[in-house]
Amino acid sequence: MVTTEKIMKNLIDQVADIITTSKLTIALTGAGISAESGIPDFRSAEGLWSKFDPNEYASIASFMSDPEKVWLMLREMDDLVSSARPNKAHLGMSELEKLGYLHCIITQNIDNLHQSGGSKNVIEYHGNSSTLSCMWCGRRFRSDEKRNEYPPRCECGRILKPDVVFFGEAIPEKALNKSFMLASSAQALILIGTSAVVSPANTIPGITKRNGGKIIEINKEKTHLTDSITDVFLQGSAGNIVSEIVEAVKNIKRQ
Ligand code: APR
C-alpha cells in the first residue's frame, strides 16, 4: 500500500529534479509562507480579512479619508510583523538561492521576512512595512522609530502612511517589469502560500506556464490554480515542505 508519506516523498523528489535541472527558477510567495512566523494570512478562516473588511481598511481611499481608523488595522499588523522571525520556509528559500537554484523571489508580503531570512534577490509587489512616509511633506521614517506611536505622525504633524501598496494603488513599475521579464523566461516557478486571487501578482503563474515553465505549488489547501495550471502540488505546511525540498536538492547535489 502506497502511504501518503511515500507519495509526498515522490513529489518532493520530482520537485528537486525540476529545480536542479531548471536554468532559471523563481518563486512567488504570499501570506501563507509567513503564517508559521505568527502573521495570520488574509483569506483563511482566521485571516486578517475576517476581522477587518479590506474595503474599509485596506484601500488608499479609506486611508485618505480616515487614516486613524486604518491605523487600527495597521497597528495589529505592525505588532505581529515587528515580533515575527523568518521560519523554515524563508530560511529554506534563501538556502536554495545560495545553492544557485533560486534566482529571485517575487513576494506579495510586506513583512521583510525573506530579506531577514537571508534572501538577496527579492521583488516586493506590495511594498514593505518597515518604513513610513509623509504624503504631504515627503519625509520618510523607519517604522521602529515611530513604534508605539499610534497613529504615527510626521514632524509636520500629518499622519504617516506605511510604504505598502493599498488596494487602489499601483504596483511599483520596476517590480512589475522585472517580474514579468523573469516570469516569461523562468523554467520553473515555485508558488508558496498564496491564494493567487489578487492581480497583477496572480498573472505571474500564467506567464511562466504559457512560456513552457513548470509550476510547483506549495499550499496547505488547493487553490484555483491547483487543478488548472499547477504541475506539482505539494499540500501541507510551507515550512516542512520547503525544508524537505532543500534536503532533496542537497542529496542530488551530493551524487
Ligand atoms: N503553509 C502553506 N500555505 C499556507 C499556510 C502554511 N502554513 N498558511 C496559509 N496558507 C495558504 C492558504 O491556504 C492560502 O491559500 O496561503 C494562502 C494565503 O492566501 P491569502 O490569505 O489570500 O494571502 P495572499 O495570497 O498573499 O493575498 C494576496 O491580498 O489582501 C491582499 O495585499 C494582500 O498581499 C496580499 C494579497
Side-chain angles (χ1 to χ4, degrees), residues 30-31 36 42-43 49 108 126 193-195 198 219-221 238:
E36 292 155 65
F42 295 97
R43 296 174 181 81
W49 295 156
Q108 301 169 86
H126 297 158
T194 183
S195 60
V198 171
N219 200 308
K220 67 178 170 61
E221 57 203 6

Side-chain angles (χ1 to χ4, degrees), residues 4-17 19-20 36 87-93 95-96 99 190 192 216 218 233-254:
T4 37
E5 287 73 34
K6 205 125 181 48
I7 294 169
M8 182 53 95
K9 169 126 180 31
N10 180 278
L11 291 173
I12 297 276
D13 290 344
Q14 262 185 61
V15 166
D17 264 348
I19 290 175
T20 48
E36 292 155 65
N87 65 55
K88 291 190 298 185
H90 299 105
L91 298 173
M93 296 300 275
E95 207 170 346
L96 285 178
L99 290 167
I190 311 172
I192 309 180
I216 297 157
I218 299 170
F233 176 53
L234 299 152
Q235 185 161 8
S237 99
N240 293 338
I241 291 172
V242 171
S243 308
E244 285 170 41
I245 290 171
V246 173
E247 280 321 301
V249 161
K250 283 179 174 174
N251 285 338
I252 292 177
K253 219 172 137 61
R254 270 192 284 271

